[in-house]
Structure formats: structure tokens, C-alpha cells
Amino acid sequence: MAKDDLIFGQGQVTKVLAGGFYEVQTESGHVIMARISGRMRSNNIRIVLGDKVTVGVSQHDPTKGLITYRSK
């Protein structure tokens, strides 16, 4: 999943799943299974239930995404 191919949107973490995956509900109401981007993982940024995040969604599979930013 290249970063150039993503459609970005805002959402909120609704579930923390095993293996570093999160269930994110977007503002439009869609539920996406997302993982943390490599830069967030290397900088040890923690994401907990209820955090507002920026998620990039794949054009080919709109149920999968990549968390790129955690809002304060």
C-alpha cells in the first residue's frame, strides 16, 4: 500500500485488535481495519481506544487502511 495511492480521512478508534490492527470508524460512518504506519511505529507512538486519527484508505480495498497521524 503506497502512500500516494491512499484517500485520507478522519476517524475514531473503536476497537484495538491483535497484531497491531485497529478498527476505525470514519466520519462518514464506514468501519475500516487499519494498522499503524511505519514512522509511527518507529517513534513509539501509542494509540488507544477513543483516539481521533487520520487514516489513509486504499482505493482497491476500502475496508483496509493505514493510520498516519494521531490527533491531540
Side-chain angles (χ1 to χ4, degrees):
M1 195 176 339
K3 228 177 170 184
D4 299 335
D5 299 336
L6 299 178
I7 302 168
F8 290 98
Q10 299 293 323
Q12 185 171 8
V13 176
T14 56
K15 263 190 205 174
V16 179
L17 304 171
F21 285 94
Y22 298 88
E23 191 174 276
V24 178
Q25 184 170 9
T26 61
E27 292 175 340
S28 60
H30 294 92
V31 177
I32 299 168
M33 184 179 293
R35 61 185 172 91
I36 302 175
S37 69
R39 184 168 287 229
M40 290 183 69
R41 188 175 296 140
S42 66
N43 288 324
N44 241 0
I45 295 175
R46 306 281 183 210
I47 297 177
V48 295
L49 188 67
D51 279 349
K52 296 200 183 271
V53 294
T54 300
V55 63
V57 181
S58 171
Q59 296 175 357
H60 305 291
D61 188 5
T63 62
K64 302 220 185 304
L66 186 68
I67 297 175
T68 57
Y69 186 76
R70 180 179 65 98
S71 301
K72 296 180 180 179

